[in-house]
Amino acid sequence: MIIIRNIILESDNKEKLRAKISKLIKRDDFDFEIFRKSIDSRKGIKFNYQVLIDLDLSDKEIKKIKGAQKFAYKDLSIEINNPPKEVAIVGSGPSGLFCAYVLAQNGVKVKVIERGEAIEDRIKTIENFKKTGKLNPESNIQFGEGGAGTYSDGKLTARSKDPRVRLVLETFHKNGAPDDILIDAKAHIGTDLLREVIVNMRKEIIKKGGEFLFSHHMDDIKIVNNNVKNLVINGENLSSDAYVLALGHSARDSFEILKDKIQIENKNFAVGFRIEHKRKTINDAQYNGKETDIDNNPLPQASYNLTYNDKNRNLSAYTFCMCPGGYVVNASSEESKLCVNGMSYHDRNGENSNSALIVTVGEDVYGHNLLDGMRFQRQVESKAYKLGNGKVPVQRFLDYKNNQVTVEFGNIKPSIEGSYQKSNLRGLYPANIEEMLIEAIEAMGRKLKGFNDDDAILSGVETRSSSPIRMLRDKENKAYGIDNLYVIGEGSGFSGGIVSSAIDGIKTAENILKRK
């Protein structure tokens, strides 16, 4: 098996791709598989392919083929020694779900404890919140089966070269995700399809002997002689052989419980707003006004990834969780507090595209006491709730610059699932962060035409970019000094996004299985 990288075409055409491969390898009798596909629009529309070809060639023959290398899919066989018979996993986001999935496949009985509801009920609860504003603090955009990522764009990108990336994609595909996630460099599932995939994974875990306890809250954790004795779940003791905390970045009450029981430290995170533009504006900017390739194949909805640094302020801004053709949602999880997130359906066909526009903050901004970052998040979210009277506060970029309430929208209307209110977002953040946000939008507009459109819509607040704390852990992902407790995923401060969190869960399952 060989892989050939950097095969460039001007269209997404499999026959033309085959012809180019044939020319490179100087033969016609071969089978190939697209391993990765990306679009480069810097100098016209170009498709960049990586392909796998089932050929047994010598090193000398491979060297003659431009961009070719031997390819061996790394064996991910798991070492199994004397693992615990039962493992309790708190949290069913990507890290907890994949940890449970791998353990269950290898004969370990897992008990997944989730404070929120199963997908089927969670959907109804969230729809009711959008319509009435009545929040369920235990089951919402942040909490429930699948975690916060279930109500997002379902991005499946990761910078990691870990072979487990492929395992994550293949697992999603096996459980119902579309074929294109296996090859698209910027793959996504979409919130609508991701819900179905997660339900299928749950059913597979149950089939293997696992159990899910939905609407079950961790009230406490009892640690004796450097071992977890039991968890307190819905007021009752729950014991297991080993424990995994896959809490997510918004489990603030759990952080309060853990701060005196395990080693935790503050970490940097980022805050800001959601920013919306017309989907067509972003597509035109990225594709130079083109809607198809040279063979008239429609181009996918365009995305972007922008950064800006100000050395004088010692601040960095960047876009995050970009949702082409997506929507902004009220992602609150605490009473009288408000935050937002972005999500897309699989077709990414909404009127607007949005992303988080955020600025990194550290202890110099939010304070040096443990959990001060979390308290800062809460303070900002309380201000946003009051500003919008419980609705998402929104503002035109021009009005934000001029520090005035938005009275009328321009050519961009908010794409928000739920209620919103025209507001003035100034004053929600410290002045230096507000100035940085304005400066960043203007600078990003010089990189991406239309990004600094005066009519762009800002909505607040984006405060849940990542966990405000890090749970210190050893190389096996165990909490320092506690032999049977693993801390993983976004809540632990060691991963971010669906794929990296899933990998963290897989690695933790491997560590548990090889324990002696």
Side-chain angles (χ1 to χ4, degrees):
M1 180 77 74
I2 65 170
I3 186 168
I4 304 179
R5 295 184 169 89
N6 295 318
I7 301 177
I8 309 298
L9 294 177
E10 293 184 344
S11 65
D12 187 12
N13 186 308
K14 201 165 184 179
E15 289 305 311
K16 289 184 178 179
L17 177 59
R18 182 179 183 85
K20 190 152 189 177
I21 295 169
S22 179
K23 188 175 180 180
L24 284 169
I25 65 176
K26 296 181 173 56
R27 59 198 302 169
D28 297 321
D29 56 328
F30 63 92
D31 294 321
F32 77 96
E33 173 187 346
I34 299 173
F35 183 73
R36 185 70 72 240
K37 179 182 71 175
S38 60
I39 298 177
D40 185 347
S41 58
R42 290 172 295 181
K43 295 181 180 179
I45 305 300
K46 307 286 185 183
F47 291 82
N48 188 322
Y49 294 92
Q50 298 178 34
V51 298
L52 299 178
I53 307 173
D54 192 11
L55 289 176
D56 185 16
L57 302 178
S58 67
D59 290 344
K60 186 176 181 180
E61 289 173 310
I62 292 173
K63 282 183 180 180
K64 293 179 180 179
I65 302 171
K66 185 179 179 181
Q69 289 179 320
K70 277 189 176 179
F71 182 86
Y73 184 61
K74 186 173 179 180
D75 183 11
L76 286 174
S77 59
I78 298 172
E79 177 186 348
I80 301 177
N81 291 312
N82 186 27
K85 293 181 179 179
E86 183 175 280
V87 176
I89 300 172
V90 183
S92 67
S95 62
L97 188 65
F98 272 82
C99 184
Y101 192 87
V102 172
L103 289 175
Q105 284 185 320
N106 288 279
V108 177
K109 179 175 174 54
V110 294
K111 188 169 287 187
V112 182
I113 300 143
E114 170 56 56
R115 68 191 297 165
E117 297 167 302
I119 292 276
E120 298 89 341
D121 296 319
R122 185 184 182 195
I123 291 170
K124 298 174 185 176
T125 297
I126 291 172
E127 288 304 312
N128 184 61
F129 173 57
K130 291 176 184 176
K131 293 176 183 177
T132 67
K134 185 178 180 181
L135 176 71
N136 180 344
E138 295 299 316
S139 189
N140 43 62
I141 295 288
Q142 305 292 349
F143 301 139
E145 185 176 19
T150 307
Y151 279 86
S152 68
D153 182 61
K155 286 180 186 59
L156 301 178
T157 53
R159 295 177 182 174
S160 171
K161 293 183 179 179
D162 192 309
R164 295 174 187 84
V165 171
R166 189 73 178 179
L167 178 59
V168 172
L169 299 178
E170 289 175 350
T171 301
F172 278 135
H173 183 253
K174 178 182 176 182
N175 284 280
D179 295 343
D180 54 19
I181 72 162
L182 296 176
I183 61 173
D184 285 351
K186 295 183 178 180
H188 88 292
I189 297 181
T191 182
D192 45 345
L193 299 189
L194 183 55
R195 299 170 196 174
E196 298 174 13
V197 172
I198 289 168
V199 169
N200 289 337
M201 290 184 68
R202 179 226 300 168
K203 291 177 179 177
E204 184 65 22
I205 291 168
I206 292 173
K207 191 186 297 183
K208 297 290 186 182
E211 182 180 359
F212 283 76
L213 301 178
F214 293 111
S215 299
H216 279 64
H217 184 276
M218 186 181 77
D219 304 320
D220 201 1
I221 180 170
K222 295 182 180 179
I223 300 174
V224 179
N225 296 327
N226 298 323
N227 270 272
V228 176
K229 181 181 179 183
N230 63 264
L231 305 175
V232 181
I233 306 294
N234 282 8
E236 298 183 0
N237 291 339
L238 185 150
S239 298
S240 191
D241 299 320
Y243 304 83
V244 178
L245 298 185
L247 300 174
H249 58 41
S250 295
R252 293 167 173 172
D253 52 352
S254 299
F255 298 164
E256 294 275 13
I257 291 169
L258 292 167
K259 66 181 173 63
D260 297 320
K261 298 179 183 286
I262 66 173
Q263 294 184 51
I264 293 175
E265 64 184 13
N266 291 330
K267 64 176 273 294
N268 292 353
F269 56 99
V271 297
F273 300 118
R274 279 273 148 184
I275 184 166
E276 294 186 70
H277 305 86
K278 289 280 191 182
R279 172 167 55 92
K280 188 176 187 308
T281 298
I282 302 303
N283 286 353
D284 287 347
Q286 293 292 65
Y287 297 143
N288 298 310
K290 295 180 180 178
E291 297 181 354
T292 65
D293 63 22
I294 61 170
D295 289 338
N296 293 319
N297 298 309
L299 296 170
Q301 308 301 353
S303 62
Y304 57 76
N305 182 21
L306 302 169
T307 60
Y308 176 73
N309 298 309
D310 187 321
K311 293 181 180 179
N312 294 326
R313 290 194 180 92
N314 194 29
L315 290 173
S316 297
Y318 59 99
T319 60
F320 171 78
C321 187
M322 197 267 159
C323 298
Y327 301 86
V328 175
V329 293
N330 185 332
S332 303
S333 60
E334 293 181 319
E335 296 284 1
S336 302
K337 295 174 181 62
L338 188 145
C339 63
V340 294
N341 195 14
M343 74 172 198
S344 299
Y345 296 102
H346 182 67
D347 63 11
R348 288 178 162 177
N349 205 33
E351 181 75 15
N352 293 350
S353 291
N354 73 76
S355 72
L357 175 70
I358 46 183
V359 177
T360 303
V361 295
E363 289 185 330
D364 58 326
V365 173
Y366 61 70
H368 298 272
N369 296 315
L370 187 60
L371 302 186
D372 270 355
M374 184 184 80
R375 298 182 188 104
F376 174 74
Q377 289 174 325
R378 279 177 163 161
Q379 289 169 2
V380 174
E381 291 169 17
S382 293
K383 290 180 185 178
Y385 183 90
K386 292 175 183 176
L387 178 63
N389 294 314
K391 302 174 183 178
V392 175
V394 300
Q395 187 177 22
R396 290 171 70 222
F397 176 48
L398 178 63
D399 294 328
Y400 187 74
K401 287 189 289 185
N402 292 334
N403 195 11
Q404 62 189 27
V405 175
T406 288
V407 177
E408 292 184 1
F409 298 121
N411 67 340
I412 306 171
K413 308 294 188 296
S415 289
I416 294 179
E417 291 203 341
S419 300
Y420 60 86
Q421 181 167 303
K422 297 169 186 168
S423 308
N424 181 3
L425 301 173
R426 295 294 285 270
L428 293 177
Y429 292 114
N432 64 330
I433 292 178
E434 294 188 332
E435 292 165 3
M436 180 66 176
L437 287 167
I438 293 171
E439 193 174 300
I441 293 172
E442 296 289 13
M444 290 173 182
R446 294 190 286 273
K447 296 178 181 178
L448 183 68
K449 185 179 179 181
F451 192 86
N452 59 339
D453 189 328
D454 283 342
D455 287 336
I457 300 293
L458 301 176
S459 58
V461 286
E462 177 81 42
T463 49
R464 311 286 182 93
S465 59
S466 66
S467 178
I469 57 110
R470 178 172 286 116
M471 303 175 188
L472 303 188
R473 67 187 192 183
D474 64 17
K475 63 182 181 179
E476 294 182 346
N477 296 355
K478 290 186 293 185
Y480 273 164
I482 304 176
D483 190 55
N484 63 343
L485 177 64
Y486 298 81
V487 290
I488 69 173
E490 288 203 21
S492 71
F494 283 96
S495 67
I498 292 173
V499 174
S500 64
S501 294
I503 290 172
D504 209 35
I506 293 169
K507 287 181 176 179
T508 301
E510 292 170 358
N511 289 332
I512 292 172
L513 289 167
K514 69 183 181 183
R515 290 192 69 176
K516 296 179 180 178

